[in-house]
Amino acid sequence: MYKRTVDIEVGAVQLKGNLALPDRLKGIVLFSHGSGSNRLSARNRSIANNLRQQGFGTLLFDLLTPAENKHYSRWFDIELLTRRLISVTNWLLKSRVSNVNIGYFGANTGAASALAAAAELGSEMVRAIVCRDGRPDLVQNTIPHVKSPTLLLVGGHDKEVLEANEAALHQLQGIKKLTVIAGASHLFEVPGQLGDVTNRTAEWFTRYLYYYPKEIEKDFMG
């Protein structure tokens, strides 16, 4: 297992990231956090750990700098978050793992940026997407352009978000699925619910994030 904290230059800012790569990869999943969260999100770290155990690399990174994250308006600047995600994706694809397929895991507003970025980059570059309690309503005009296999995971008690995801399901043009986690609220706080999300996420990426085994060079970022 290769692990490293990375600094990613995006325009005039530098974003922190935690990159982890098993020795033989099934693919790499980029995490797009939302609503003031960052790469240290306990829920996303738990999901990422499970993915790594099953052979997937993970990149958890801050979409916003610490200073930007203090401003509530930035949390909902989907255009900015989308540009950042695309820039980080391109940064990764220029690395020594450029021939390993990419997937997105997005949560809340981060799911909106994941869908928008995938719509722009295309399914050849973004092979699969999982959205946890996402806000697809924030990018509803771009959803019909998403061709990557997309799994929408929503808590059954999160009624407004569920309605938004049901609408998005009808707009998606490629392989798609909506799974409702019974009894779950927005944060999936009841024991076992986050584990359900984790298992379904791993199943989706195992099915749709194309297997491309590759030995990782130890000097990955020089």
Side-chain angles (χ1 to χ4, degrees):
M1 177 73 71
Y2 176 95
K3 291 185 177 181
R4 182 169 179 175
T5 299
V6 294
D7 295 312
I8 307 169
E9 299 288 344
V10 177
V13 303
Q14 188 176 77
L15 305 177
K16 287 284 186 182
N18 295 330
L19 178 69
L21 305 170
D23 292 333
R24 296 181 67 83
L25 289 175
K26 293 181 177 179
I28 300 179
V29 179
L30 280 69
F31 281 70
S32 185
H33 313 287
S35 297
S37 186
N38 57 33
R39 73 187 192 282
L40 302 179
S41 162
R43 292 176 181 82
N44 285 349
R45 287 171 63 190
S46 176
I47 293 168
N49 182 61
N50 179 271
L51 289 174
R52 290 192 296 270
Q53 292 175 5
Q54 300 193 46
F56 294 100
T58 59
L59 175 59
L60 293 90
F61 66 97
D62 298 334
L63 282 164
L64 300 173
T65 66
E68 291 171 336
N69 209 25
K70 294 178 181 178
H71 299 281
Y72 180 80
S73 62
R74 291 290 195 179
W75 299 0
F76 292 89
D77 189 341
I78 304 303
E79 182 177 355
L80 172 64
L81 301 180
T82 300
R83 302 317 308 174
R84 294 272 173 91
L85 179 56
I86 290 173
S87 294
V88 171
T89 302
N90 288 329
W91 169 85
L92 186 61
L93 290 172
K94 291 177 182 177
S95 72
R96 296 172 187 261
V97 291
S98 59
N99 59 344
V100 176
N101 289 327
I102 299 295
Y104 285 162
F105 181 94
N108 201 278
T109 54
S113 63
L115 291 167
E120 180 169 335
L121 295 175
S123 58
E124 289 300 311
M125 187 175 292
V126 181
R127 295 284 183 166
I129 308 167
V130 175
C131 298
R132 174 179 65 81
D133 240 32
R135 291 291 309 278
D137 53 300
L138 298 177
V139 290
Q140 58 184 356
N141 291 334
T142 67
I143 291 175
H145 302 289
V146 177
K147 308 300 184 184
S148 310
T150 301
L151 173 64
L152 306 173
L153 295 168
V154 185
H157 287 171
D158 202 355
K159 298 301 183 183
E160 291 185 6
V161 172
L162 178 55
E163 289 178 2
N165 279 262
E166 289 173 338
L169 184 71
H170 293 295
Q171 290 183 284
L172 288 166
Q173 300 299 305
I175 296 170
K176 57 189 178 179
K177 184 177 181 180
L178 170 63
T179 296
V180 179
I181 308 299
S185 64
H186 184 69
L187 297 178
F188 300 91
E189 295 176 307
V190 175
Q193 291 177 345
L194 186 61
D196 195 3
V197 169
T198 299
N199 292 336
R200 293 176 187 274
T201 297
E203 290 170 0
W204 193 261
F205 285 131
T206 297
R207 177 171 296 182
Y208 294 110
L209 195 55
Y210 181 77
Y211 185 82
Y212 196 117
K214 175 179 169 60
E215 295 290 346
I216 298 301
E217 299 182 42
K218 298 305 181 184
D219 59 341
F220 172 75
M221 291 307 297

